[in-house]
Amino acid sequence: MSGPSRGSEIRVAVVDDHPMFRLGMVALLETLDDIAVVGQASSAAEAEATVGADVDVVLMDLELGDGNGIDVTRTLVRAHPDLRVLVVTMHEDDDSVFAAIRAGARGYLLKGATPAEVERALRAVANGEMILGPAVAARAMGYVAGTRTTGGGAFPELTDREREVLDLVARGHDNTAISRRLSLSPKTVRNVVANVLTKLNLPDRSAAIVRAREAGLGLDPD
């Protein structure tokens, strides 16, 4: 699909677990020409039940009470390949941005975006473009320039921390051992491993070990 499926009208669903923000966004969208709000959801489960083939664009928050917007984005895009997802969130860290894009999001805005920026991003995403808000774009350029990575080594898309954890995974350490070794909480280690799998498009830990060792990680003795 190269754009909205029903003439010039863009059919939009808003997914956000904060009622005031969700209702405010809906109110904004309803003032815009040729944009129709056809669904709202306050949770991951509601989003998956609400968003169907009749939706052109989903405005997606990343923090949902019963899940996260990255997983929901991945599920919805797999179910509806023509769907466009525009993330609208408070999170501006590199990991969130790139995890969302890898999950299938076509745009990424911060919640501080102006109404004009929201409209421009929504229309651009509906037309098949990839768009990042100004603040996110600046961070993305820094990422590409290598400010968050060592550059030139294996897996330049990973942060230094993610590569460090992947190296330990490839050496056969479990999450508990990694958390002790790096003085991180087990939850943080789990999240880092999940980010690595997402960024490298790998199905599980075993695949990560194989891929890492093929790239030369995990081979040096502890």
Side-chain angles (χ1 to χ4, degrees):
M1 182 173 74
S2 59
S5 58
R6 290 165 180 77
S8 60
E9 182 179 69
I10 302 171
R11 296 167 64 88
V12 181
V14 180
V15 179
D16 196 296
D17 67 343
H18 292 89
M20 292 303 293
F21 183 86
R22 186 177 69 254
L23 295 174
M25 179 63 74
V26 169
L28 167 64
L29 298 178
E30 288 178 341
T31 68
L32 304 178
D33 293 337
D34 303 320
I35 291 177
V37 178
V38 297
Q40 300 181 45
S42 61
S43 67
E46 283 185 11
E48 292 174 14
T50 300
V51 177
D54 62 333
V55 177
D56 297 312
V57 179
V58 176
L59 271 59
M60 178 74 69
D61 190 16
L62 292 187
E63 291 291 339
L64 302 173
D66 61 340
N68 69 75
I70 291 173
D71 290 339
V72 176
T73 294
R74 185 180 298 108
T75 297
L76 291 178
V77 170
R78 284 176 178 171
H80 310 288
D82 291 336
L83 183 68
R84 314 296 190 190
V85 175
L86 171 61
V87 170
V88 185
T89 181
M90 296 293 293
H91 295 278
E92 58 179 314
D93 60 284
D94 296 342
D95 290 347
S96 294
V97 173
F98 288 95
I101 292 173
R102 287 180 177 277
R106 302 291 298 177
Y108 199 105
L109 284 182
L110 299 182
K111 284 189 174 180
T114 66
E117 288 171 341
V118 172
E119 179 179 8
R120 181 173 65 89
L122 174 55
R123 294 189 187 280
V125 167
N127 287 327
E129 300 174 33
M130 172 72 75
I131 190 163
L132 303 176
V136 176
R139 296 181 66 84
M141 289 302 294
Y143 180 93
V144 172
T147 59
R148 284 288 307 279
T149 68
T150 57
F155 309 120
E157 64 267 56
L158 300 184
T159 65
D160 291 342
R161 174 66 77 189
E162 288 166 349
R163 193 179 299 105
E164 183 178 29
V165 169
L166 178 58
D167 180 65
L168 293 174
V169 168
R171 296 186 192 193
H173 296 294
D174 61 18
N175 286 358
T176 301
I178 294 172
S179 69
R180 287 197 301 263
R181 191 181 185 99
L182 300 181
S183 298
L184 299 172
S185 71
K187 180 178 179 181
T188 296
V189 174
R190 287 197 303 272
N191 289 339
V192 172
V193 172
N195 286 339
V196 169
L197 296 180
T198 298
K199 286 186 175 184
L200 300 184
N201 195 27
L202 297 171
D204 53 36
R205 197 182 189 93
S206 297
I209 292 173
V210 172
R211 179 80 175 276
R213 289 179 176 174
E214 288 176 345
L217 296 183
L219 302 180
D220 295 332
D222 287 328

